[in-house]
Amino acid sequence: MRESTIMKIHYGTALAAVALVAVHILMRLTMNYAESLEYENVLANYKFIPYAIMLELILILLSVHGFNGLRVILLELKQGRMYEKAVSYGCLAGMIGLIAYGSRTIIMTNMGMV
């Protein structure tokens, strides 16, 4: 993938994440902070589908942004075809693993497994 495309993905995920995290913070300000962390309120948040979708989008955006940034940093340290492939596939695997594990919480809560 070309460097300009990679940086566009990086900038796009950053802007989208900032917007969604701002909405997330504003929604948390609708009630007392300590009250918003109570177990019942946290479960209610995960069961409210639009909010759960927003949390999933934040998870995906921040994972893509973070692992893409890590990939760029690691590629600046060393060059070589095999190294670049290993870094790219390793970051992709890490990103998929993080998204899968984070999604698990939302899915389990919505299915009543928690």
Side-chain angles (χ1 to χ4, degrees), residues 54-104:
M54 186 184 74
L55 290 175
E56 185 71 24
L57 288 172
I58 291 171
L59 172 66
I60 292 167
L61 288 168
L62 290 178
S63 297
V64 170
H65 181 77
F67 278 101
N68 186 44
L70 176 63
R71 180 185 164 278
V72 169
I73 291 168
L74 291 174
L75 291 179
E76 288 178 359
L77 294 176
K78 186 178 173 188
Q79 302 296 313
R81 186 176 171 99
M82 292 299 292
Y83 177 76
E84 289 178 14
K85 276 189 167 189
V87 167
S88 294
Y89 287 127
C91 286
L92 184 63
M95 178 178 52
I96 291 169
L98 182 63
I99 291 170
Y101 187 76
S103 299
R104 175 185 158 273

Side-chain angles (χ1 to χ4, degrees), residues 20-83:
L20 288 178
V21 169
V23 171
H24 170 66
I25 291 170
L26 289 173
M27 289 183 76
R28 296 288 45 92
L29 293 175
T30 60
M31 66 174 65
N32 181 318
Y33 179 72
E35 185 180 325
S36 73
L37 295 177
E38 291 177 1
Y39 184 74
E40 294 80 21
N41 289 330
V42 172
L43 282 182
N45 287 332
Y46 280 117
K47 289 183 179 182
F48 182 53
I49 299 298
Y51 190 71
I53 290 170
M54 186 184 74
L55 290 175
E56 185 71 24
L57 288 172
I58 291 171
L59 172 66
I60 292 167
L61 288 168
L62 290 178
S63 297
V64 170
H65 181 77
F67 278 101
N68 186 44
L70 176 63
R71 180 185 164 278
V72 169
I73 291 168
L74 291 174
L75 291 179
E76 288 178 359
L77 294 176
K78 186 178 173 188
Q79 302 296 313
R81 186 176 171 99
M82 292 299 292
Y83 177 76

